[in-house]
Amino acid sequence: MSDEEDIVLSELNDEELTLQMHDDLYDGLADEITEGVNILLGRGWEPYRVLTEALVEGMRIVGIDFRDGILFVPEVLMAANSMKAGMFILKPLLAETGAPKMGKMVIGTVKGDIHDIGKNLVGMMMEGAGFEVVDLGINNPVENYLEALDKEEADILGMSALLTTTMPYMKVVIDTLVEQGRRSDFVVLVGGAPLNEAFADSVGADAYCRDAAVAVETAKTWMAKRQGSALAG
Ligand code: B1M
């Protein structure tokens, strides 16, 4: 973008700045994304609004051009790093609610899959809603999940997959819990762009979460159900 150095982000109105941030994310300009996030926060935007309207929407556009062969892996990696720079500023703000602890979640991206932005967002939003989150990172074989669930005495297992080739691995993890007679010890929530409700049902998860906000609401609902049945039992 040749005009880039002429643009003063702080002089743009909210709508122009948001659109410019989509371009900057597309171009992998982490410093500009950092500046843009700070400007929007300074103008009184809620952190969640900055996240969804400036960053997630920008990444959605990147995804379309990646799919269509206009952008390639190195460019998308730069976009992802810029998104992470923005998320780095938002993370403490999203986690700052001081809500009482709601439960503990172990979350990770499944084996063979290195996409972590969506998972990280879910983790942040869950922390912001008062859950304790143990993040296993990317490329997790079943053993990692099982070990962490035991060690952390978690209530919820969260799995993320962004590839149609890796999402079936969620069934491997859930089947292993079933084989060990421990499936009902945990609420299992799954998410990632290629998933849907029917897939979640077919692998035996408790729920599919379309986005991070839905993950929080779903986790709250399932924790309340569990607490209800524990009291009833
Ligand atoms: Co990848 N990639 N990628 N990629 N990449 C996709 C997923 C793809 C759809 C792009 C496309 O073609 N349009 C496509 C998959 C096609 C398919 O499977 N049918 C694809 C491909 C093909 C690949 C490679 C195979 C490319 C290659 O090497 N030829 C390769 C695979 C590497 C591997 O994993 N083994 C690859 C690599 C990469 C990068 C490394 C360059 C980079 C990842 C960087 C990173 O994550 N650190 C990357 C990126 C960035 C993408 C896109 C563009 C963006 C993903 C993203 O971060 N979205 C993506 C296109 C797309 O999805 N539109 C694409 C933003 C994020 C906020 O959304 O992750 O959906 P999302 O998360 C949401 C919800 O899904 C949900 O909540 C989140 C927040 O609202 N959610 C959960 C997610 N996880 C959850 C877990 C939960 C609950 C909710 O647990 C309870």
Side-chain angles (χ1 to χ4, degrees):
M1 230 171 249
S2 55
D3 292 345
E4 200 61 53
E5 47 270 319
D6 301 325
I7 297 171
V8 179
L9 295 181
S10 59
E11 288 175 358
L12 302 179
N13 68 31
D14 286 7
E15 196 190 341
E16 291 164 344
L17 177 56
T18 310
L19 292 174
Q20 183 59 43
M21 286 173 73
H22 297 165
D23 280 354
D24 289 344
L25 199 74
Y26 193 99
D27 293 336
L29 302 175
D31 290 346
E32 282 75 359
I33 289 297
T34 301
E35 191 185 342
V37 166
N38 283 326
I39 293 170
L40 289 174
L41 290 172
R43 291 181 188 174
W45 279 42
E46 290 295 328
Y48 185 64
R49 185 174 172 210
V50 180
L51 180 67
T52 50
E53 293 184 25
L55 302 184
V56 174
E57 175 56 17
M59 207 57 182
R60 190 186 67 79
I61 299 166
V62 169
I64 294 169
D65 280 3
F66 190 27
R67 178 195 65 204
D68 295 344
I70 297 165
L71 288 178
F72 296 95
V73 170
E75 291 141 330
V76 178
L77 258 182
M78 285 180 70
N81 286 339
S82 305
M83 170 119 185
K84 285 185 178 181
M87 282 162 60
F88 181 75
I89 301 168
L90 296 174
K91 182 173 177 171
L93 304 174
L94 289 166
E96 205 170 62
T97 61
K101 286 291 164 231
M102 309 278 298
K104 197 170 196 180
M105 176 191 233
V106 161
I107 189 167
T109 304
V110 297
K111 187 174 167 181
D113 200 321
I114 62 167
H115 295 86
D116 67 355
I117 294 176
K119 166 191 66 66
N120 295 348
L121 270 181
V122 173
M124 277 184 210
M125 296 284 295
M126 291 286 291
E127 280 178 356
F131 287 86
E132 242 180 285
V133 175
V134 178
D135 188 341
L136 303 180
I138 55 173
N139 193 21
N140 284 287
V142 59
E143 296 79 17
N144 288 10
Y145 291 109
L146 297 180
E147 193 187 319
L149 287 170
D150 286 342
K151 183 169 154 237
E152 304 293 342
E153 298 182 358
D155 307 293
I156 304 172
L157 166 61
M159 288 188 280
S160 180
L162 265 286
L163 299 172
T164 45
T165 49
T166 57
M167 61 189 217
Y169 195 77
M170 292 177 172
K171 184 162 165 37
V172 175
V173 179
I174 295 173
D175 283 353
T176 309
L177 286 173
V178 173
E179 278 160 25
Q180 296 183 350
R182 300 197 299 154
R183 171 64 186 85
S184 58
D185 294 349
F186 309 103
V187 174
V188 180
L189 304 180
V190 295
L195 277 62
N196 57 31
E197 210 96 46
F199 172 81
D201 284 349
S202 74
V203 296
D206 289 310
Y208 158 67
C209 306
R210 190 184 63 241
D211 60 32
V214 170
V216 168
E217 287 318 308
T218 311
K220 282 184 186 168
T221 307
W222 277 87
M223 285 307 291
K225 267 192 209 171
R226 265 164 73 101
Q227 277 149 10
S229 50
L231 288 176

